[in-house]
Amino acid sequence: MPKPRVIYWFRTDLRLHDSPALAAALELKPSCLYPIWTWDPHYVYRARVGPNRWQFLLDCQEDLSKSITKLNPKSKLFLIREAPQTLFPKLFKEWKITHLVFEKDTDAYARQRDEAVMQIAKKAGVEVIVKVGRTLYDPDELVKQNKGKSTMSIAQVQSAGAKIGNIPRPIPSPTSLPDPGDLSLSFSPERPEETPDFNASHRESQDKSYQELSGPNNDFAIPTLSELGIKPATSPHRGGETLALSALSSILSDVAYTATFEKPKTAPTDFSPQSTTLLSPHLHFGSLSVREFYWRVQDIVTSFKSKGKKPSEPPTSLTGQLLFRDMYFGAQAAQGYAFAQTYNNSNIRFIPWHLPSTISPDNSLITGSYHVDDAQAESYFRRWKSGTTGFPFVDALMRQLRLEGWIHHLGRHMVACFLTRGGCYIDWERGAEVFEEWLIDHEVACNVGNWQWLSCTAFYSQYYRCYSPVAFGRKWDPEGAFVKKYVPELENFDKKYVYEPWKAPIADQKKWGCLVKGDGGGDESEATKEGLKNYPKPMFDFDTQRDICIQGMKNAYRVGLYGNDKRVLDGTWRTL
Ligand code: FAD
């Protein structure tokens, strides 16, 4: 029997440590191993990806490539610039491939792509090996053990997980890698079809990444941001397995922090350092194995307990956080594409979002004369996105998100609640799109699931519990240091006014160098004339607006429509 010739297809697993799929590829004892990344136009154009997440991805690829080369100087991460669906049939033939190995991905688009690739492989007589490694449990198994349903609570994950068995222990990194085979390619790249470019606003020049199959120098190199035409990143957070493992070790060296971690007690306003692990982008790109993270924490917890000390427990503990991640993967695995939208989704409550100018406190789903003020809702959305709502805590968080690509979980709670049921009454799907573009840890399952949670459309239903943009920030950071860092217009304001600057006397505003005036849309002339900065007035009275939202939610809950209800699909809900 000739020895196997294997392609290892890196996607959600940019690491060498604890990779069950890579281990399976090596178990084949191949005569050659091609570690490759295919540059999928879906991610380049159709997914919304800002410069910070691009940079994080390129960092992960660079680091992985170097680590591969350390194990075999003839090898590296070979980047090929073509969609996998069109590339693989040619590659299989040209490189005489016998096996294709990759980590399982249950995202809706990935399933569709992988199904197509598996068909292609079958036709070419190539054996495909797929291994689970992205989550604690296989999301499909979780669903199966949850009676075929989406996992909608931690308790369901724990109970389904117990039926699956123990979470596998991490496996060691390989100590050597086989040579790649012949790398010549006799075909030209198939250019992606014309496709809407959701990342056009992040480009400063034309995308040249598809001009050559193996890069401009024919060396399968990782493209630069400039080759992709993408503007420079602004985030201080960088990617790569080396950084991820050293960050994990450094965090876990604090045994008490690790064993007694309680998420609700961590401050969303801490920034130097942040109060949680900030490992989410590494988990997203697979530069850190989630099972490595889980077991290293769990072993610390076990040893802590054995000394008679009391550790924290799921759901608030660190391992509890990882169970939340699995819960959203399970929910997505069961629902596929429908998961990310309300329309035709039986799991999501239908709320007639968009800002009714009034929601009268009667029992109707809407008022008799339902009036959506589109222009007003659009203005609220724009101001939320640009961090100019006039509520400094919300604005600081949105500016941190845009600049750095990461904000604390409770900060995400604040801005998501504010945009939807606790302020603007705007559809969660619009907020999720902004997060998709800006987060460096953007994960479809976690982003969509958490937006559903915060908007009380799924997972959570206590819509009367809203976050105040004044009291919530002040609770964590009475001095307002976080606000002052990201909203420097207010840097000289007394702490008494930093969360409500509009209440400061004009004389004090002038003394502190910033006039609170206008709507953030350029009404700065008076401030500029006086050599002052400008910060907008709040875009609405929060208490009034929150009450309107709660009334709207109450009515919607009473009527109780879901996304797949006939009356939602045909628009007759308006008469309810
Ligand atoms: P830690 O508190 O240190 O937790 C450790 C790990 O557990 C995280 O790295 C993450 O992988 C996982 N985790 C923690 N909380 C959650 C949670 N609620 N849901 C799922 N996983 C969790 N997380 C993402 O990874 N990608 C997203 O796109 C994303 N979008 C979100 C959108 C909204 C509106 C909200 C409210 C939350 C979102 N989260 C998302 C969840 C959570 O905010 C982040 O995972 C967390 O803040 C990451 O920081 P950390 O690594 O310091 O977390």
Side-chain angles (χ1 to χ4, degrees), residues 261 263 276-281 283 293 318 321-322 324-325 328 406-409 412-413 416 435 439 441-444 446-447 450-451 454:
F261 181 96
K263 189 64 161 277
T276 55
T277 65
L278 220 163
L279 290 170
S280 50
L283 292 177
F293 186 174
L318 260 184
Q321 303 313 298
L322 300 179
F324 273 118
R325 185 172 177 271
Y328 291 120
W406 184 89
I407 54 177
H408 183 282
H409 183 59
R412 299 182 201 204
H413 271 227
F435 272 37
L439 277 176
D441 65 20
H442 173 254
E443 191 79 83
V444 180
C446 301
N447 189 41
N450 275 287
W451 271 95
L454 264 299

Side-chain angles (χ1 to χ4, degrees), residues 319-446:
T319 52
Q321 303 313 298
L322 300 179
L323 293 175
F324 273 118
R325 185 172 177 271
D326 262 47
M327 175 184 83
Y328 291 120
F329 272 92
Q332 176 183 240
Q335 297 174 38
Y337 274 115
F339 179 62
Q341 61 187 36
T342 305
Y343 185 78
N344 215 7
N345 187 333
S346 58
N347 287 280
I348 302 185
R349 281 181 186 278
F350 172 72
I351 311 287
W353 299 113
H354 245 116
L355 193 82
S357 52
T358 55
I359 298 178
S360 61
D362 64 13
N363 265 344
S364 60
L365 180 57
I366 45 157
T367 54
S369 56
Y370 184 64
H371 167 61
V372 172
D373 188 339
D374 278 329
Q376 172 129 93
E378 202 48 42
S379 148
Y380 288 171
F381 177 72
R382 257 191 304 104
R383 291 184 63 175
W384 173 83
K385 185 174 177 186
S386 62
T388 54
T389 64
F391 293 101
F393 188 43
V394 172
D395 293 343
L397 288 162
M398 291 305 291
R399 294 181 195 189
Q400 184 192 23
L401 174 61
R402 189 182 50 206
L403 190 72
E404 301 182 1
W406 184 89
I407 54 177
H408 183 282
H409 183 59
L410 295 178
R412 299 182 201 204
H413 271 227
M414 174 74 246
V415 299
C417 180
F418 184 87
L419 182 73
T420 57
R421 64 183 170 84
C424 306
Y425 218 60
I426 286 173
D427 196 335
W428 65 267
E429 290 180 45
R430 298 202 69 191
E433 278 180 10
V434 173
F435 272 37
E436 178 186 350
E437 184 182 342
W438 288 350
L439 277 176
I440 47 173
D441 65 20
H442 173 254
E443 191 79 83
V444 180
C446 301

Side-chain angles (χ1 to χ4, degrees), residues 3-6 25-33 178:
K3 278 184 115 189
R5 300 174 60 84
V6 178
L26 296 176
E27 270 163 29
L28 294 168
K29 307 224 176 314
S31 61
C32 57
L33 180 89

